[in-house]
Amino acid sequence: MSTPDLNAATQVVRPLTSPALREIPEGLARLQSRALVVGGAGLLLCGVGLLVDPARLLQSYLVAWLYWSGLALGALAVVLLQFLSGGAWGMIIRRILEAATRTLPLLTLLFLPLLLGMETLYPWARPEEVAADPILQHKAAYLNVPFFLARNAVYFGVWLVLAWLVNRWSAEQDTAGSDLGRIRRFQVVSAPGLILYVLTMTFASVDWVMSLEPHWFSTIYGPLHMAGHALGGLALGITVLVLLRSKPPLSQVVRADHLHDLGKLLLAFVMVWAYFSFSQYLIIWAGNLPEEIPWYLRRLQGGWQWMGLALLLAHFVLPFFLLLSRGLKRSSPLLGRVAVLVLVMHYVDVYWLTVPAFGEGGPLRPHWLDLAAAAGVGGLWVAWFARHLRMRPLLPLGDPTLVEEMSDDGA
């Protein structure tokens, strides 16, 4: 599909006005209400866990929050990438990803319990441990509570501003249409926005997860988390697209070519995630340094090795070979199943990266609070996501790519 001619800044591509393109599937309202029920039940169980085992609740809550926030931040990264590169692949999932980015205010609020439980989660936040540990004392200039709070204020501030800008301008496009100036404005924000995302997410991954084991470090840890976020965000967009594809307005627009493009991008993100994961393992294995190898030793014994093997097979090998198939990428049910598999294994990845830090090499012991926290945070997140997905048309009606495609189809 050729790019619309926008040679003059005053030439405006008018948004589509067909009522059918503004139709919102009824299933989203049911999803919102059911997610609220699940979220409420999960939070009720978390309340019980707070009385029974508050330390274990915080660990489970951290995993759940990291997973759902990763989907929102990954969606933000993919939206910025789409604004920068253009293309029909992003146009059909843009509204889905934008709705995911609008969950960031909720996630900011849900971050507060982790701040209240910092001393329980992070060794460097406990003064008695810092006083007895020379390594923590050496890192205290960075790993201290006031600086941690200041850094996180910057992270969330940057992400919230970026999400607000892309959502506001995208909404304006639905009413005012697009011209060359508006498209360039998207690109001008997206380029530095991606740079800011990379910088903030690199430091955030260190603060939230790597500092759980402050004696250990990895220079590729930030890119590893960002690859997982982008992979999860794209898988979320594909999953929701497949679920809604048979209903208007997506049924009028989405073609096998679009799914094929999304499948190729999902394959690329799977390979990037695998590359960063293997690179970290290879460098640490080759170095064989006593300050580095304990991180993997904790994750390759006591049952954790089977979770690592599952990640290798179901988060890379199986999706990789399945997504090599052209037919699978052009089939919405099959591509949707692969996307769901990626979403499930992304949670396993977050769990494997996070929970062994609390066990000091202990065996794998899943806890009922893991399910309660995932349901509580996830239920609220899905309900918030579905609510915002219902608030706007499921397609960017003023996007030049959509306008051209519908014109070519005689719409």
Side-chain angles (χ1 to χ4, degrees), residues 387-398:
R387 174 178 176 271
H388 281 278
L389 194 57
R390 295 172 57 203
M391 292 173 64
R392 295 180 181 177
L394 288 178
L395 292 167
L397 302 182

Side-chain angles (χ1 to χ4, degrees), residues 120-351:
T120 302
L121 291 171
Y122 298 101
W124 51 265
R126 298 191 282 269
E128 66 278 8
E129 290 205 24
V130 175
D133 191 328
I135 295 180
L136 292 184
Q137 294 171 20
H138 178 71
K139 297 183 177 183
Y142 183 84
L143 293 178
N144 62 79
V145 174
F147 196 20
F148 178 90
L149 297 176
R151 290 194 304 271
N152 278 271
V154 173
Y155 305 154
F156 285 105
V158 169
W159 299 331
L160 289 170
V161 168
L162 287 174
W164 178 76
L165 285 175
V166 298
N167 279 280
R168 177 187 176 186
W169 291 346
S170 183
E172 289 177 356
Q173 193 180 50
D174 278 353
T175 56
S178 286
D179 56 22
L180 186 58
R182 189 179 301 275
I183 293 174
R184 283 179 175 170
R185 186 168 61 176
F186 283 148
Q187 294 172 340
V188 165
V189 169
S190 297
L194 281 172
I195 295 174
L196 287 172
Y197 170 80
V198 169
L199 290 174
T200 53
M201 197 60 241
T202 297
F203 286 97
S205 64
V206 173
D207 288 349
W208 298 342
V209 189
M210 194 166 77
S211 71
L212 293 169
E213 300 164 276
H215 288 193
W216 180 81
F217 59 90
S218 170
T219 55
I220 206 172
Y221 203 70
L224 175 60
H225 274 263
M226 283 183 280
H229 287 176
L231 180 57
L234 180 61
L236 171 71
I238 293 173
T239 300
V240 177
L241 176 70
V242 169
L243 290 174
L244 300 179
R245 187 197 174 189
S246 61
K247 304 175 179 63
L250 295 177
S251 59
Q252 304 177 50
V253 178
V254 180
R255 303 192 307 269
D257 289 344
H258 298 142
L259 297 173
H260 190 208
D261 290 341
L262 289 171
K264 288 188 292 185
L265 188 59
L266 186 65
L267 174 60
F269 284 168
V270 166
M271 291 190 292
V272 170
W273 174 86
Y275 171 77
F276 286 139
S277 299
F278 179 71
S279 295
Q280 177 176 273
Y281 177 79
L282 179 63
I283 292 170
I284 291 178
W285 175 82
N288 197 29
L289 298 176
E291 63 268 23
E292 294 181 349
I293 57 176
W295 192 88
Y296 275 106
L297 292 178
R298 282 192 285 271
R299 290 161 176 80
L300 295 176
Q301 59 185 0
W304 293 102
Q305 69 272 27
W306 302 116
M307 187 173 285
L309 180 62
L311 283 170
L312 172 64
L313 296 178
H315 204 26
F316 170 60
V317 175
L318 184 58
F320 174 78
F321 283 104
L322 289 175
L323 291 170
L324 290 177
S325 167
R326 173 182 170 86
L328 183 145
K329 291 195 290 284
R330 299 176 70 86
S331 168
S332 61
L334 295 178
L335 182 61
R337 291 188 180 99
V338 174
V340 169
L341 174 63
V342 169
L343 286 174
V344 171
M345 294 313 299
H346 179 51
Y347 178 84
V348 176
D349 184 34
V350 173
Y351 195 93

Side-chain angles (χ1 to χ4, degrees), residues 340-402:
V340 169
L341 174 63
V342 169
L343 286 174
V344 171
M345 294 313 299
H346 179 51
Y347 178 84
V348 176
D349 184 34
V350 173
Y351 195 93
W352 188 77
L353 289 172
T354 306
V355 177
F358 303 107
E360 297 297 330
L364 170 62
R365 291 177 180 171
H367 199 281
W368 63 270
L369 283 172
D370 297 332
L371 180 60
V377 177
L380 292 182
W381 190 92
V382 172
W384 193 279
F385 167 75
R387 174 178 176 271
H388 281 278
L389 194 57
R390 295 172 57 203
M391 292 173 64
R392 295 180 181 177
L394 288 178
L395 292 167
L397 302 182
D399 190 287
T401 305
L402 176 63

